[in-house]
Amino acid sequence: MSPRKLSPADLRQARRSSGHCHGTLIVAPLWVAYQVNLGTLLRTCDAVGACMAVPDTEHYRASLAQGDTLGRRRPCIHWVRGNRDAWLRRRRDQGWRLLAVELAEDAIPLPRLGPSAQPTVVLLGHEHHGVPDVWVEDADACVEIPMCGRGASLNVAVAGSLVLYRLAGLA
Ligand SMILES: C[S@@+](CC[C@H](N)C(=O)[O-])C[C@H]1O[C@@H](n2cnc3c(N)ncnc32)[C@H](O)[C@@H]1O
């Protein structure tokens, strides 16, 4: 039997009807600067059933408004008010695992990362400066996506999307 391309109506029927908080997987591009990357990550959140956490600042509100192509289907967003480090520490105190996505020594290679068995916050770094050193050292684990090309790193939205798909058990 040959595959048939799904129609927009088929796809709509297969999707969820609301973007409520699932409370198990949050991507935290707390240092990501570019709106196109935030918009791309938002679409991945929708696809895998994850939430997004971003600082509650003018920059992030404007970037998400411009980068968002989902409109009313936008997934759950946790607005981080005040200090980002304090927000991350609070999450950890509440039992969340903090997973930094970064090229780092002794990081877990992506193929060895299994679906997440506990609530997890996924930390993504700034396009030029990466995840702050303090969080690479202090995260519960660090995951690295192996690369064999000549570039130093992947685009942050690509890296975040690959990790989210693994954690959600969809890849
Ligand atoms: C363009 S990279 C930042 C590179 C930056 N020059 C640095 O020194 O960290 C932006 C972010 O994407 C993620 N990233 C990109 N490639 C990655 C890889 N191969 N493995 C894990 N994370 C990666 C990390 O979160 C990183 O902080």
Side-chain angles (χ1 to χ4, degrees), residues 101-103 125-128 130-131 143-145 147 153-154 156 159:
V101 178
E102 195 51 274
L103 292 141
H126 183 272
E127 287 84 346
H128 300 301
V131 174
V143 60
E144 173 178 319
I145 302 154
M147 298 175 56
S153 63
L154 290 164
V156 64

Side-chain angles (χ1 to χ4, degrees), residues 83-102:
N83 187 283
R84 299 162 208 208
D85 299 336
W87 183 85
L88 287 169
R89 282 195 292 271
R90 270 200 307 281
R91 285 281 159 179
R92 174 183 276 154
D93 292 345
Q94 292 163 359
W96 288 70
R97 171 175 67 146
L98 304 185
L99 182 69
V101 178
E102 195 51 274

Side-chain angles (χ1 to χ4, degrees), residues 11-33:
L11 293 172
R12 260 196 308 278
Q13 210 173 19
R15 299 290 185 262
R16 296 168 206 235
S17 55
S18 80
H20 63 275
C21 178
H22 300 287
T24 49
L25 186 56
I26 301 179
V27 67
L30 296 177
W31 303 279
V32 171

Side-chain angles (χ1 to χ4, degrees), residues 10 30-31 50 52 60 67 75 102 111 135-136 140 168:
D10 293 331
L30 296 177
W31 303 279
M52 179 181 277
Y60 280 91
E102 195 51 274
W135 282 112
V136 174
D140 299 304

